[in-house]
Amino acid sequence: MTCAEGLSLQRVSAPFCIICLSTLRRHSSLSLCTVFQEDQFLSDSFHTHTRTHAHTPQRGHLQHRPIVMALPDTAPLLVGLLLLFHAFGAWAIVEVNMEDKVEVMAGETAQITCMFTTDEGLGGTTIQWFYVLPNKERQRIYNKEPMHEAAEQNTLFTHRISLNVNGTAAVLVIRDVGVRDNLEFICVIKTLTPEEAEGRTQLQVFKSPTFPTIEAVETGISVNEKDPSKIGSCRVKNGYPKPNITWYRNNMPLRNTPREVVVTSSTTIESSGLFSVQSELTMKVKKEDKDAVFYCEVIYFVPGATKMTESQHINITVYYLPTEVTIWVESPKGKIKEGDTLELRCDNNGNYPSSITTIKHQNSEYSVENKTMVRTNVKRLDGGVYECTFEETDNFEEISGSTKVSVNYLESAVITPKDSIAVMEGEELKASCNALSSLQTSTTWFKNEKLVSKGNTLSVKSATLETAGMYKCVVTVPEMEGMKTSSTLQVNVKGSPQILGPDVQEVETYETTVNLTCSATGFPAPTIMWTTSDGKNLNALQTETEDGAQSVVTFKITSNVKVFCNASNDFGSKVVEFNIKTIVHTTPTTTTTTSTNTITDDTVIQNTSTNYVNDPVQTPTKSPNIKKESKGFVIAIIIIAIFLLAILGSVLYFLYKKGRICGRSGKQDFSKRKSSKDNIVVEMKSDNTEEAILLGVNGEKQQPNDQ
């Protein structure tokens, strides 16, 4: 039977019941107990009131609530109860269960669980955590009492631990675990009575080591060495617990064997407490070890498992004397042709460094670098037998091997007849093409990149003008890619010319100058003449083309005209007619009127006016869209000049009136009425037939009757 929140009821023996009241203070604990008969505890004379709460205390934190007891004069009663408790000798039972070990990786968080049971419950339970020092002494790191809990100061775990209590489980949490935390931890549970219990757990921390690095010896090892030679070293760093290294040769582990295999290891404890291990392998090598693969295997531990990592694989150089020499063509693969780069390789089944290798061919000796000889742009004479000789300089023994090299060739293609051939139209065309080669060849003929014939002979039964042109003979070696030669033949067909295009061609133009082109085929190359319908000869430039001639003529036209292109040679002629039609553009009429006043001493005697009328003239123009900028500029200049003349006339008239010129005084007046034509009048009519503008001397617009 259990009391609520700090009040513990334990049955001692019928009909008694122990009542414990715990008064908790900071850093201290006072427990008062008493014993009642069961019927007395249940009688009306003993009343107990408790306050219940709906929420549950959080994990790891013990919540204490005050207990209200309606007992008169409680102090003497509690003392008596305590004495009775000791008199009966009823002790609480405490049990603790913990795991033997907890494994965790370094840097992670460890949780060590302490499972406990007690007859008194959590109200008066004290939980303490310790770790064991190297000298087997205990160091307390955490203390939890009913009213107070805290981590011990100035320990390895002061700022890294916390305690979570959930029912009967007390979990010690250690953050950022390191290898130095690989310790034994003790959980101690105490009750209000002198009874206590403890449990122990070993915390095991693991740290995976780095990837192993392996280094092979740089110098070669001779099979003639009497003592084991160093093969290489393997190193792994920062592991916990200490990792183990095992050497392998061709997937077989190597163990220490007297005078054959020796493996030595050394261990370093870093300042962090981690282990670094280095292992060195020495052994007596054999010829078979030249192709052997060596590597080291690192075995390390992690929580609940054992892992393995292999290093990179290495090879060693083993020196041994040869018993056989071999020479072969390394490049090119397959058949060799002239112009190739020949690469010969010479090797032997030994590799002693103190040796000389040479290659001989037709009494010539060539040096060998890295067991290879290279000859560029080989010719057919470079074929034959090549001999490779290996000489061991310690005892001057020689071993040789040889191979035969064949260099294939393809000479330039030769066409008969050479360069060109001329045949009459309708006659048979025949030509042949051959190329000397060490292998079987294939011949094809092309014209304008199109295949026209296969075989050594080109044959056309009846030649036409279309037969003429440039032919290309291509000779190849089918079994060797890139082996090819070619030559060309110009075929000319004798016959009357042919002009490209229709016999009559229509030409329409706005231009005053035209360019006409006439192209004719034929052999010999035709002569091209240009004439007009009225029998006039035109000068033109003529150029020869691949299959004939071409002529271009340029001339001016004023009206419709016919032009003839006449192409002729020794075998005939051909004429083509060009009908040229011009497109006419009409220029608008422009009228200019100029009026001039003749001034005498007394009056204006005469006014003359001249009108210039430009009648429309039908003339070919360069284009219907001719720009007007030039005409507008001229009109603007004319207008400015007229204004300047008007101003000058006004000035002269003013001076005349004042008598400054012509001997007149300024007071003399005209006796006659001024003529209405005293003003200089200019009539302008633009190309767009705009309204004429009449301006007087003073710049005022004149009425039509004043003109």
Side-chain angles (χ1 to χ4, degrees):
M1 184 174 184
T2 303
C3 301
E5 302 186 29
L7 187 60
S8 177
L9 300 181
Q10 299 187 12
R11 187 180 305 277
V12 180
S13 59
F16 295 95
C17 179
I18 302 175
I19 300 177
C20 299
L21 177 63
S22 300
T23 303
L24 304 179
R25 298 185 181 90
R26 186 179 180 86
H27 306 300
S28 63
S29 169
L30 177 60
S31 300
L32 299 178
C33 301
T34 186
V35 179
F36 291 93
Q37 291 185 357
E38 187 173 0
D39 55 352
Q40 180 185 358
F41 182 75
L42 299 175
S43 65
D44 293 338
S45 61
F46 184 79
H47 302 281
T48 307
H49 302 278
T50 61
R51 186 180 304 165
T52 61
H53 300 271
H55 67 275
T56 303
Q58 296 180 356
R59 179 181 179 184
H61 298 280
L62 182 61
Q63 301 292 329
H64 301 283
R65 304 283 186 244
I67 301 174
V68 181
M69 301 183 63
L71 296 176
D73 198 10
T74 57
L77 179 59
L78 291 175
V79 174
L81 290 173
L82 181 60
L83 293 176
L84 289 173
F85 175 78
H86 285 285
F88 280 95
W91 301 100
I93 299 175
V94 181
E95 293 182 356
V96 174
N97 292 314
M98 296 180 67
E99 295 179 322
D100 293 337
K101 62 181 179 180
V102 171
E103 298 178 341
V104 65
M105 293 296 294
E108 297 181 354
T109 299
Q111 295 186 3
I112 304 176
T113 303
C114 177
M115 302 295 297
F116 64 92
T117 57
T118 175
D119 294 343
E120 295 186 4
L122 295 177
T125 302
T126 299
I127 304 173
Q128 295 179 336
W129 284 90
F130 301 83
Y131 74 90
V132 180
L133 297 170
N135 59 4
K136 304 303 180 180
E137 293 184 1
R138 297 184 178 186
Q139 171 67 53
R140 190 168 71 177
I141 58 175
Y142 202 93
N143 182 50
K144 173 180 170 50
E145 297 179 355
M147 289 297 290
H148 172 73
E149 65 174 289
E152 297 292 336
Q153 299 298 315
N154 302 324
T155 69
L156 296 175
F157 306 94
T158 300
H159 303 291
R160 294 190 293 127
I161 61 174
S162 60
L163 183 64
N164 295 334
V165 179
N166 185 8
T168 59
V171 180
L172 179 65
V173 179
I174 306 175
R175 297 176 296 277
D176 192 19
V177 173
V179 296
R180 299 187 186 279
D181 299 336
N182 199 87
L183 301 168
E184 185 180 26
F185 290 83
I186 303 174
C187 171
V188 178
I189 305 297
K190 296 182 179 181
T191 62
L192 295 175
T193 64
E195 288 296 325
E196 66 178 48
E198 68 178 39
R200 295 171 178 255
T201 294
Q202 176 67 43
L203 178 61
Q204 293 185 352
V205 182
F206 298 87
K207 173 68 169 63
S208 298
T210 60
F211 189 83
T213 58
I214 187 170
E215 294 180 0
V217 292
E218 296 180 357
T219 59
I221 305 172
S222 174
V223 295
N224 297 328
E225 295 290 339
K226 296 180 179 180
D227 298 324
S229 303
K230 180 179 177 180
I231 303 300
S233 61
C234 180
R235 181 176 177 83
V236 63
K237 297 180 179 180
N238 299 328
Y240 194 90
K242 185 182 76 171
N244 297 320
I245 298 178
T246 303
W247 281 92
Y248 283 80
R249 175 186 178 275
N250 293 337
N251 299 324
M252 295 297 294
L254 295 173
R255 308 297 181 189
N256 282 322
T257 303
R259 301 183 61 84
E260 294 292 334
V261 178
V262 179
V263 178
T264 57
S265 299
S266 60
T267 304
T268 302
I269 302 177
E270 308 292 345
S271 58
S272 60
L274 300 175
F275 293 98
S276 296
V277 181
Q278 180 169 340
S279 180
E280 185 176 287
L281 172 65
T282 59
M283 62 179 294
K284 189 173 179 61
V285 298
K286 301 177 182 179
K287 180 180 178 180
E288 295 77 17
D289 293 329
K290 66 183 181 67
D291 299 319
V293 175
F294 295 87
Y295 63 93
C296 60
E297 178 188 81
V298 177
I299 298 176
Y300 60 96
F301 305 96
V302 295
T306 300
K307 290 190 175 183
M308 177 272 293
T309 301
E310 288 185 3
S311 70
Q312 294 180 343
H313 294 188
I314 62 172
N315 300 100
I316 59 174
T317 302
V318 179
Y319 294 138
Y320 48 91
L321 293 175
T323 59
E324 183 182 0
V325 174
T326 305
I327 182 173
W328 68 93
V329 177
E330 182 71 16
S331 177
K333 302 297 184 183
K335 295 182 182 295
I336 305 169
K337 65 179 183 297
E338 285 188 325
D340 284 346
T341 297
L342 176 64
E343 181 179 343
L344 291 174
R345 187 171 179 84
C346 180
D347 202 358
N348 55 75
N349 59 354
N351 63 349
Y352 239 73
S354 57
S355 61
I356 299 175
T357 303
T358 57
I359 294 179
K360 296 179 181 179
H361 173 249
Q362 297 179 353
N363 300 323
S364 298
E365 188 171 293
Y366 302 94
S367 60
V368 177
E369 295 183 3
N370 297 325
K371 303 180 181 180
T372 302
M373 185 202 76
V374 178
R375 299 192 66 179
T376 59
N377 194 22
V378 295
K379 304 298 181 183
R380 68 191 72 177
L381 296 179
D382 294 326
V385 177
Y386 286 80
E387 182 181 20
C388 177
T389 301
F390 172 84
E391 181 181 0
E392 202 280 302
T393 56
D394 290 343
N395 51 22
F396 301 102
E397 292 183 359
E398 289 188 359
I399 304 176
S400 299
S402 62
T403 186
K404 185 176 181 180
V405 175
S406 298
V407 179
N408 295 285
Y409 58 89
L410 175 65
E411 294 185 354
S412 300
V414 177
I415 298 179
T416 304
K418 186 178 181 181
D419 297 334
S420 65
I421 183 174
V423 296
M424 285 296 298
E425 188 175 4
E427 292 184 354
E428 181 181 5
L429 167 65
K430 201 166 188 178
S432 63
C433 177
N434 294 283
L436 186 62
S437 175
S438 60
L439 300 171
Q440 187 69 33
T441 60
S442 174
T443 305
T444 52
W445 293 85
F446 295 87
K447 181 185 179 185
N448 298 328
E449 304 300 330
K450 292 184 179 180
L451 178 66
V452 294
S453 179
K454 292 184 178 181
N456 298 83
T457 302
L458 173 65
S459 179
V460 179
K461 295 297 182 182
S462 180
T464 63
L465 292 180
E466 287 75 15
T467 306
M470 182 66 72
Y471 289 79
K472 184 178 182 181
C473 164
V474 179
V475 181
T476 60
V477 177
E479 58 184 300
M480 290 196 67
E481 183 179 358
M483 204 169 178
K484 179 173 66 174
T485 183
S486 63
S487 185
T488 58
L489 174 66
Q490 176 64 44
V491 175
N492 299 311
V493 178
K494 299 176 182 180
S496 60
Q498 296 292 330
I499 298 179
L500 304 180
D503 294 341
V504 179
Q505 301 183 25
E506 303 290 337
V507 178
E508 293 184 352
T509 180
Y510 286 99
E511 307 295 334
T512 59
T513 301
V514 295
N515 295 326
L516 298 179
T517 301
C518 186
S519 298
T521 61
F523 186 85
T527 300
I528 300 176
M529 302 292 294
W530 293 90
T531 60
T532 61
S533 56
D534 56 1
K536 182 180 179 180
N537 293 326
L538 302 176
N539 295 326
L541 178 65
Q542 178 174 327
T543 57
E544 289 190 4
T545 62
E546 182 179 350
D547 53 357
Q550 185 182 71
S551 179
V552 178
V553 65
T554 302
F555 64 98
K556 294 183 179 181
I557 58 173
T558 58
S559 61
N560 296 343
V561 65
K562 292 183 179 181
V563 179
F564 302 96
C565 170
N566 188 332
S568 62
N569 63 7
D570 297 340
F571 300 97
S573 63
K574 178 72 174 179
V575 178
V576 170
E577 178 182 328
F578 293 89
N579 292 330
I580 303 173
K581 296 181 181 180
T582 61
I583 300 176
V584 179
H585 177 74
T586 303
T587 304
T589 302
T590 302
T591 303
T592 304
T593 302
T594 305
S595 297
T596 306
N597 292 332
T598 303
I599 304 175
T600 65
D601 293 341
D602 297 326
T603 182
V604 177
I605 297 175
Q606 186 180 3
N607 179 276
T608 62
S609 177
T610 304
N611 293 332
Y612 301 95
V613 179
N614 296 326
D615 294 333
V617 178
Q618 295 181 349
T619 59
T621 60
K622 292 185 177 180
S623 172
N625 297 325
I626 298 176
K627 296 184 179 179
K628 305 292 184 179
E629 286 83 349
S630 60
K631 290 185 178 181
F633 179 74
V634 173
I635 293 172
I637 295 298
I638 293 173
I639 293 173
I640 293 172
I642 293 173
F643 273 113
L644 291 176
L645 289 174
I647 294 171
L648 179 60
S650 299
V651 172
L652 292 175
Y653 178 74
F654 177 77
L655 293 176
Y656 175 80
K657 290 279 291 183
K658 295 296 184 180
R660 302 294 178 89
I661 60 174
C662 298
R664 289 180 55 86
S665 65
K667 297 180 181 180
Q668 191 173 12
D669 297 329
F670 291 108
S671 59
K672 295 183 180 181
R673 182 182 177 184
K674 290 183 180 179
S675 172
S676 61
K677 298 180 180 179
D678 289 344
N679 296 329
I680 299 175
V681 179
V682 178
E683 180 181 357
M684 298 177 57
K685 192 172 183 180
S686 68
D687 292 342
N688 297 326
T689 64
E690 296 177 352
E691 180 183 1
I693 302 174
L694 303 179
L695 299 177
V697 176
N698 296 327
E700 297 178 353
K701 185 175 182 181
Q702 304 298 315
Q703 299 298 326
N705 56 4
D706 293 336
Q707 298 183 24

